[in-house]
Every structure is written in C-alpha cells, then in structure tokens.
Amino acid sequence: MRILLAEDNPCSQELMLRMLKYMGLYADVANDGLDVLHALETRSYDVILMDIQMPKMDGLEATKAIRHRWHDRSIKIIAVTGCNQEEDREMCFQAGMDDYMCKPVKREDLESVLSRYRSHGH
C-alpha cells in the first residue's frame, strides 16, 4: 500500500509515521497541498492521509485539485482533522474525500480506516 501523509506539523508527522511503521507500513510526507500535487506527478499512491489545515494549500483545496485532475478516484483520500463540527465532515466529503479521521489519531482508528482500503485490491 503506497501512502502519502500530508501534514505540516512535524510532531504530527512523526506520530503518524510511527503508527504506520508499527503496522508495517511506510509513507512519503508532504508538508502542504502543493507538495501533495507535486508528489502525485512523480508517484502513484493508494491512500493520502490529508490534514485539512495546512499552509499554502489546505487539504480541501488539494483534494478538489486531485479530483479535478485525476478522475478515476483510485486514490483514496482520508481527511485527518480536529473533527470539531459535523459541517467539517460534510465539507470533506463535498471536496471529494473518501473517509475521515479525528485528531488526535489513535492507532486503532488508523488501522481500521486503512484496512477498509487495503481490501480493495491495493
């Protein structure tokens, strides 16, 4: 499973990478939405763990750009956000995201979400 972690906070990056490593997975890291788009031009990914609040280009903008450019929806985009309000969740799905995780992310939640997409032939 090829994973791209879009997260601008170094502490959050480290935590997510450790959880993924524990699960036997590795992720490339993008610091903002522009880095995500650049990464997608050079590699293909099965899953993007997309932070919503990032500098330069946030997760919602990046998701819209990905869905506009790559129409097949084979890349699964999982929002990683503070989960403060129901409308946050709705905005994520309207932008074209496939799933949703609340910060702070727990390993069980990460395993559960990734297992849903691992079983789809990836």
Side-chain angles (χ1 to χ4, degrees):
M1 180 180 264
R2 292 179 310 273
I3 301 170
L4 180 61
L5 171 62
E7 171 64 66
D8 62 308
N9 181 300
C11 295
S12 296
Q13 284 178 5
E14 183 64 27
L15 184 66
M16 291 289 277
L17 291 172
R18 279 191 192 164
M19 285 192 285
L20 289 165
K21 187 176 180 180
Y22 181 86
M23 296 162 52
L25 298 169
Y26 171 80
D28 291 335
V29 177
N31 290 304
D32 59 55
L34 294 176
D35 285 351
V36 169
L37 297 178
H38 180 70
L40 287 172
E41 288 172 8
T42 57
R43 284 196 72 184
S44 63
Y45 292 94
D46 300 310
V47 172
I48 301 173
L49 299 171
M50 184 81 77
D51 185 27
I52 299 302
Q53 295 184 317
M54 295 182 289
K56 295 184 193 167
M57 178 186 276
D58 69 27
L60 295 172
E61 280 183 83
T63 298
K64 289 175 187 171
I66 291 164
R67 294 305 185 212
H68 179 74
R69 189 156 170 200
W70 290 277
H71 302 286
D72 65 0
R73 289 190 71 103
S74 63
I75 303 166
K76 298 303 173 191
I77 303 174
I78 300 162
V80 182
T81 183
C83 288
N84 299 332
Q85 271 108 22
E86 181 60 34
E87 57 262 23
D88 290 350
R89 185 183 199 104
E90 193 53 42
M91 281 186 344
C92 292
F93 290 122
Q94 284 177 355
M97 293 181 168
D98 298 288
D99 219 320
Y100 197 84
M101 277 192 306
C102 296
K103 284 183 176 181
V105 174
K106 296 181 189 76
R107 197 178 77 229
E108 310 83 67
D109 297 339
L110 184 59
E111 286 174 339
S112 172
V113 166
L114 290 178
S115 70
R116 285 200 280 274
Y117 301 108
R118 188 180 265 176
S119 62
H120 288 123
H122 292 300

